[in-house]
Amino acid sequence: MESKYLHLSNIILLFIIVPQICTAQNDITLSVFTVTSKSMTVRWSGHTGASSYKITATPKNSPEPSVFAQFSGSTVMGSVNSLSPNTVYRMRVEAMDNAVNVLSSAETEETTAPEVPFIEQAYSKHSDSITVEFGLVIGATGYIIRAENEDGFFSESLVVTSPGTVINLLPYTQYTLSVMSVNTGGRSQPSLSMNSKTVVVAPNLHPSSPSSDTIVINWNPVNNAVLYTLVMIMEGSDTRVRRNTSDTNVTFSDLQPGTTYSIKGNAWDPDGNQGDDITISQITRPSVPGDVQVQLTPGRSLDLAVYWQSVHGADTYTAVSSTGQNCSSSDLYCIISPLNCSQNHTITLVASNQAGTSDPSNPEDLLTFPCPPGSVWIEEVTTGNCSVMWSEVPWVNYYIAYVKSDDGLEENCNTTGRACYFQCKCGYTYLSTVFAYNQAGSSPPGQVVNYTTIPCCPEDVSVSLISTETLEISWSAVRGAELYETIAADGSEWIHCNDTAPVCALSDLTCDSLYSVVVRPCSEIQGCNNTCSAHTRRTAPCAPVILNVTQVNSSTVEVFWTATNTQANYSVTATGHTDSLTCSSSGTSCHISVSCGSIYEVSAYATTAAGQSLPSYSIPLETGPCCPETLTVEQVTQSMTNVTWSPATGAGSYVTSLTSPRGHAKCHTMDTHCLLGCITCGTSYNVSLEAFSITGHKTECRYHGFSSSACCPSSVKLYRMANNTLRVYWRSSPGLYNYTADLYGTSSNYTCSTTQGATACDVSNIMCGQVYTVVVAPLTQEGSKVTFCPRKLYSVSCSGNTVGMVIYRGRRSVD
């Protein structure tokens, strides 16, 4: 796009070169674009084939000449200048070809703007506005005031005439002002500008009346203000009080109570310009009410009435009590309700209005009747001595306490203290109430408290031992008892039972223990009486435990047991099938004489002054079998004996023994006899017998000793001697024994004896021609002859009438 300006005398031509638009358009349209007091800008539509356009502005009602302008065929907008202000022009546009022929045309009418006005003065009376005075212009229907500042503020305000005011400005700010005239054709050019500054804002006054003759005004500092002016005038008066100050508060004193004052204030800027005005009103506080009177109102409810005289400027009156209660009224009295007991009211009265309250009046006092004590209780100081106690109540001269027991008796006491004392019996319930008194009268009835004394201790407690470890306690029911607690203690354990019946059995106690038994009556309110005396009772002794039963001999056993009781005697019983045996001791053992070969059940029990224990567990006792009443030992051969005895009670088997330093012999048999071999001849033996029961119990029996016979001599020989005599020779065994030699012939027998120690003896008058059996045997101490010595056979021949040859024929066994 390319633009050029053509200056032809007074006409400025604007050429806009645009591409040629090939359209089939025969008509042209014209419109006015902008209008000022000396120019118009028009716009038209292009015409096909036009090479130029001509615009002619002809005054309609004026003799002034027409003004024209010509533009190229590519231009569709142009301005016509040098017009007259406030004049109606006929605007014509013509489209022409190269031959200056008019191809098409269009006309319109438009009025130019009025002339430019002139500002006479500009000033600010309010912090947010500036007033502008200017000259009026002919043909103007209105004016536009333009305001600008250095911060970029811009505003236009439409006014009808002068003066005009621009609003919504900032306080104490410099503005540049200009004015344009306006009609139907448009606006003129701005006038010459003028500078003006807005004034400061008015102070934001905050009044208050701290007293009935004073008003205090406070405000925050105003920006750019150097001085403040306040003017006060009393309502209904022409008297003004003016104050200038650079501070931000002013106090007006010596004012009338309850009176309204009007206060006007403004600020001054450093240039001496007065800022905005502000006007407020403030009333002073009322004066103190006088002639205040207080009294109780008659009637069923307890109220307090306050009366007073009115004061100027008061809206309401408030009576305040020292108890925190109050009443308010716009009349000359009010009622404080409800009142409470034990209150000493100090009443003061204040008058109030919008400024606040007055100083309080002189106090007036009023005392109400006392309250009943808030807390009443009964204590049993010591057994049988009670006291009624209560909390202190203010404003009381004295108290009266009433006490009534559940049997109907009543008593009272008068005191200035907080306690009354009376006698109280165990098991009773007492009711009590307390009244307080002062000069206003008696308190209302207070709380009724009850106190139940602890139940009485039973007097006839009986403690009986009904079994070895059970005590039965019984007593008579007592007053006030709801439950009985029976406690038995022996120092190591504590047993108790609770029951409503006056009897209790304490079982599973410790044997042989001294119990302290206490019966405590109890009530739900007071608990149990812990002052009841104790009764002692010892339980039966503990049953002993048999540790061992030892058989001392065939007829005696010793029984051992544990002894845990104190000063107890013990008895042991052994019960058999046919008899019952006992023994007693204060120690831990005793002896019982028992029968041999018997079975017993042994048990023990202890006895003390408290009673008899349970028997111990039984222990079976089987005594050893009896010894045989008779026992005989018979020597059968030189090395064998036969022992025979009588049957023994309880014995199932026997062991018979022969013992000596040179050896012993023993046999075990179930019979009543036994054959013992391997004994030594000429030896003294100890004879014993052990009898065994079928369960293994043993009894040792001893009998008289047994001496075996002397040994048979050895080397027995027979020799012939003279005179029909034969000599029997032998070798004797150790020891000094008497021997006898026997010769048994077929028709005659011969015997010879020797003294101790001899080893031969002679037999005379022997009949020859016979066979003799020769036996040499020692004699026993009793003088009897040993019968089991061996026999030898000799043949004695005859030599004539005398003994001939003696020939050994061998041995033969005993017949």
Side-chain angles (χ1 to χ4, degrees):
M1 181 181 291
E2 183 179 346
S3 64
K4 297 181 180 180
Y5 290 88
L6 175 65
H7 299 277
L8 298 175
S9 67
N10 294 334
I11 303 173
I12 300 177
L13 299 178
L14 177 62
F15 296 94
I16 302 175
I17 301 175
V18 298
Q20 183 66 38
I21 302 174
C22 296
T23 60
Q25 187 173 1
N26 297 321
D27 296 330
I28 188 171
T29 60
L30 176 66
S31 62
V32 178
F33 188 67
T34 59
V35 178
T36 67
S37 59
K38 293 185 177 182
S39 67
M40 288 187 189
T41 299
V42 295
R43 177 182 292 167
W44 60 89
S45 60
H47 192 276
T48 304
S51 61
S52 64
Y53 295 95
K54 179 181 178 181
I55 299 175
T56 302
T58 303
K60 185 177 180 181
N61 298 314
S62 174
E64 295 181 2
S66 300
V67 179
F68 68 92
Q70 192 165 356
F71 303 92
S72 66
S74 59
T75 305
V76 294
M77 185 174 66
S79 296
V80 180
N81 298 321
S82 301
L83 303 180
S84 297
N86 196 34
T87 301
V88 179
Y89 283 89
R90 180 180 294 109
M91 304 298 293
R92 179 180 178 83
V93 61
E94 296 173 318
M96 295 179 291
D97 57 14
N98 291 331
V100 194
N101 295 316
V102 176
L103 300 178
S104 180
S105 63
E107 290 185 358
T108 186
E109 289 185 358
E110 189 62 63
T111 302
T112 56
E115 292 184 350
V116 176
F118 173 78
I119 296 177
E120 296 175 353
Q121 66 172 340
Y123 54 87
S124 173
K125 289 189 176 182
H126 297 285
S127 61
D128 62 347
S129 66
I130 295 177
T131 300
V132 181
E133 295 182 2
F134 51 87
L136 299 180
V137 176
I138 297 174
T141 59
Y143 303 89
I144 295 176
I145 302 175
R146 179 178 290 173
E148 303 175 75
N149 66 14
E150 295 177 352
D151 296 330
F153 176 82
F154 178 87
S155 73
E156 290 182 343
S157 302
L158 179 63
V159 299
V160 177
T161 186
S162 176
T165 300
V166 181
I167 62 175
N168 297 323
L169 303 180
L170 297 175
Y172 198 68
T173 301
Q174 183 80 29
Y175 288 92
T176 299
L177 303 156
S178 60
V179 182
M180 294 173 286
S181 58
V182 180
N183 64 7
T184 58
R187 60 173 66 179
S188 70
Q189 294 295 322
S191 67
L192 295 176
S193 62
M194 179 177 288
N195 293 330
S196 181
K197 183 181 290 187
T198 52
V199 298
V200 294
V201 298
N204 188 10
L205 303 181
H206 300 285
S208 63
S209 177
S211 62
S212 60
D213 62 349
T214 303
I215 292 177
V216 177
I217 312 296
N218 292 280
W219 61 90
N220 294 325
V222 176
N223 292 335
N224 303 301
V226 297
L227 186 69
Y228 303 95
T229 298
L230 279 80
V231 178
M232 171 180 280
I233 182 171
M234 184 176 69
E235 187 179 55
S237 172
D238 294 333
T239 303
R240 287 174 171 78
V241 179
R242 182 185 181 93
R243 297 282 180 87
N244 292 326
T245 181
S246 58
D247 295 329
T248 57
N249 61 80
V250 168
T251 300
F252 295 95
S253 56
D254 298 328
L255 305 180
Q256 296 296 321
T259 303
T260 301
Y261 289 84
S262 179
I263 302 101
K264 177 182 178 181
N266 52 51
W268 299 80
D269 64 19
D271 302 325
N273 297 317
Q274 183 175 347
D276 288 344
D277 292 340
I278 184 173
T279 300
I280 60 171
S281 63
Q282 176 65 45
I283 189 171
T284 53
R285 296 191 181 195
S287 59
V288 178
D291 194 20
V292 178
Q293 298 180 4
V294 295
Q295 64 185 35
L296 294 177
T297 60
R300 298 180 63 181
S301 63
L302 185 63
D303 300 330
L304 188 152
V306 185
Y307 300 91
W308 59 86
Q309 291 182 347
S310 64
V311 294
H312 177 69
D315 295 331
T316 59
Y317 301 88
T318 300
V320 180
S321 171
S322 56
T323 63
Q325 296 173 282
N326 61 76
C327 65
S328 298
S329 176
S330 58
D331 296 326
L332 299 182
Y333 75 95
C334 69
I335 304 296
I336 294 179
S337 176
L339 299 186
N340 291 324
C341 52
S342 287
Q343 287 183 329
N344 188 18
H345 292 268
T346 298
I347 307 297
T348 57
L349 184 71
V350 294
S352 303
N353 59 18
Q354 295 176 352
T357 59
S358 68
D359 291 334
S361 64
N362 293 328
E364 298 290 334
D365 294 331
L366 182 70
L367 180 64
T368 62
F369 57 80
C371 297
S375 178
V376 180
W377 66 97
I378 299 176
E379 291 183 359
E380 191 168 359
V381 182
T382 59
T383 303
N385 296 305
C386 293
S387 63
V388 182
M389 306 181 73
W390 54 87
S391 58
E392 186 175 4
V393 180
W395 314 109
V396 170
N397 294 337
Y398 62 94
Y399 303 90
I400 296 180
Y402 295 88
V403 179
K404 185 175 183 179
S405 63
D406 57 4
D407 60 357
L409 296 178
E410 184 177 15
E411 57 182 306
N412 64 76
C413 79
N414 188 322
T415 179
T416 58
R418 293 189 299 114
C420 281
Y421 301 92
F422 64 95
Q423 298 294 318
C424 53
K425 301 176 183 179
C426 59
Y428 280 80
T429 297
Y430 294 88
L431 303 177
S432 179
T433 185
V434 180
F435 290 85
Y437 295 83
N438 64 10
Q439 58 267 32
S442 169
S443 69
Q447 66 177 125
V448 177
V449 297
N450 66 72
Y451 178 79
T452 301
T453 55
I454 202 162
C456 302
C457 291
E459 298 292 339
D460 53 346
V461 177
S462 173
V463 182
S464 303
L465 183 68
I466 60 175
S467 71
T468 56
E469 296 171 357
T470 301
L471 294 177
E472 183 183 62
I473 303 97
S474 60
W475 59 91
S476 297
V478 295
R479 180 184 179 90
E482 299 171 353
L483 180 75
Y484 298 95
E485 183 180 69
T486 306
I487 300 173
D490 68 345
S492 62
E493 66 175 344
W494 186 83
I495 301 175
H496 78 285
C497 74
N498 295 336
D499 204 331
T500 56
V503 64
C504 179
L506 299 177
S507 57
D508 194 27
L509 303 179
T510 302
C511 55
D512 193 50
S513 294
L514 184 63
Y515 279 90
S516 176
V517 179
V518 177
V519 178
R520 303 194 307 176
C522 305
S523 66
E524 184 177 351
I525 297 175
Q526 284 291 347
C528 299
N529 191 337
N530 296 318
T531 64
C532 299
S533 58
H535 302 266
T536 59
R537 186 69 163 87
R538 184 177 293 274
T539 54
C542 300
V545 177
I546 297 177
L547 299 177
N548 190 20
V549 179
T550 303
Q551 188 160 358
V552 180
N553 52 47
S554 61
S555 63
T556 304
V557 293
E558 186 173 7
V559 182
F560 296 89
W561 60 84
T562 56
T564 60
N565 297 301
T566 302
Q567 295 181 351
N569 289 322
Y570 300 89
S571 296
V572 178
T573 301
T575 303
H577 295 296
T578 60
D579 58 351
S580 179
L581 308 174
T582 62
C583 70
S584 299
S585 173
S586 60
T588 58
S589 68
C590 70
H591 294 81
I592 298 179
S593 296
V594 294
S595 301
C596 57
S598 300
I599 296 176
Y600 295 94
E601 291 290 334
V602 181
S603 64
Y605 60 90
T607 304
T608 63
Q612 181 176 298
S613 73
L614 293 173
S616 68
Y617 293 114
S618 295
I619 293 181
L621 170 64
E622 182 181 349
T623 60
C626 297
C627 289
E629 293 184 2
T630 62
L631 182 143
T632 60
V633 181
E634 181 179 351
Q635 191 166 0
V636 179
T637 67
Q638 182 174 285
S639 62
M640 189 169 56
T641 60
N642 186 23
V643 183
T644 304
W645 57 88
S646 61
T649 302
S653 63
Y654 307 89
V655 174
T656 306
S657 301
L658 300 178
T659 59
S660 71
R662 300 176 64 182
H664 66 278
K666 180 183 293 186
C667 77
H668 194 175
T669 181
M670 297 177 64
D671 298 326
T672 58
H673 56 87
C674 185
L675 195 61
L676 297 177
C678 300
I679 66 171
T680 304
C681 55
T683 303
S684 295
Y685 286 91
N686 292 323
V687 180
S688 64
L689 181 141
E690 293 177 337
F692 292 90
S693 68
I694 59 174
T695 59
H697 284 75
K698 179 180 69 173
T699 300
E700 294 183 357
C701 306
R702 295 189 180 277
Y703 296 92
H704 294 292
F706 165 74
S707 297
S708 62
S709 62
C711 296
C712 291
S714 61
S715 302
V716 175
K717 295 179 179 180
L718 186 61
Y719 297 98
R720 183 184 64 172
M721 302 296 290
N723 298 324
N724 292 327
T725 300
L726 294 176
R727 176 169 287 184
V728 183
Y729 175 81
W730 62 89
R731 185 180 298 162
S732 64
S733 59
L736 298 177
Y737 293 99
N738 294 323
Y739 293 91
T740 181
D742 291 317
L743 283 73
Y744 300 100
T746 55
S747 60
S748 59
N749 297 324
Y750 301 92
T751 301
C752 70
S753 298
T754 64
T755 60
Q756 289 183 353
T759 59
C761 74
D762 294 335
V763 178
S764 58
N765 300 318
I766 291 299
M767 185 180 291
C768 63
Q770 294 187 26
V771 176
Y772 288 95
T773 299
V774 179
V775 178
V776 179
L779 298 177
T780 64
Q781 293 180 358
E782 290 81 14
S784 61
K785 182 170 55 176
V786 175
T787 61
F788 46 74
C789 288
R791 298 183 179 192
K792 289 185 176 183
L793 292 177
Y794 285 91
S795 175
V796 180
S797 65
C798 291
S799 176
N801 293 325
T802 62
V803 174
M805 293 295 294
V806 178
I807 302 171
Y808 176 64
R809 299 285 297 274
R811 302 182 61 179
R812 55 183 298 187
S813 60
V814 178
D815 294 332

